[in-house]
């Protein structure tokens, strides 16, 4: 490429990032039991699979996975995590940061 020294390495392109968004609680205002309170989330896996088939190098970000990992790291369920507004805020900020990258 223009402007590079002969023999210098060119950095590989960064994988495209795909952000899966969607409804989690619908019209519900509280999450106490993820199984009972959340609307079906099975679309997320199907979307991620379709993206990876089309772009095997894709970086797929699913906010639900991010929040589940945070809850698990603290030994909590999603319902338990949702009871702490500071943890909900931190989770939201993490997901927004990932989307912004």
């Amino acid at each position: 490429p223009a402007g590079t020294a002969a023999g210098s390495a060119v950095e590989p392109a960064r994988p495209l990032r795909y952000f899966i968004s969607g409804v989690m609680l619908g019209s519900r205002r509280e999450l106490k039991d993820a199984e009972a309170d959340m609307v079906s989330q099975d679309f997320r896996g199907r979307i991620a699979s379709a993206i990876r088939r089309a772009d095997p190098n894709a970086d797929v970000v699913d906010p639900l996975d991010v929040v589940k990992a945070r809850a698990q790291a603290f030994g909590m369920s999603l319902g338990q995590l949702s009871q702490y507004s500071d943890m909900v805020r931190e989770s939201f900020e993490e997901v927004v940061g990932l989307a912004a990258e």
Side-chain angles (χ1 to χ4, degrees), residues 20-101:
I20 300 175
S21 65
V23 173
M24 290 188 195
L25 290 177
S27 62
R28 294 176 181 92
R29 298 180 149 250
E30 260 186 280
L31 175 68
K32 291 184 180 178
D33 177 2
E35 293 297 318
D37 296 338
M38 290 181 69
V39 296
S40 174
Q41 300 296 303
D42 63 344
F43 68 92
R44 294 175 180 280
R46 292 193 316 266
I47 290 172
S49 292
I51 291 169
R52 289 187 179 108
R53 278 193 306 274
D55 182 357
N57 297 317
D59 178 12
V60 179
V61 176
D62 182 344
L64 184 56
D65 289 342
V66 172
V67 177
K68 280 181 177 179
R70 178 179 287 269
Q72 185 177 15
F74 287 97
M76 297 180 177
S77 68
L78 287 176
Q80 290 168 322
L81 183 139
S82 73
Q83 302 304 305
Y84 297 92
S85 59
D86 57 332
M87 295 185 86
V88 171
R89 182 179 52 256
E90 290 167 2
S91 298
F92 178 75
E93 290 170 352
E94 179 180 3
V95 168
V96 169
L98 290 169
E101 287 180 6

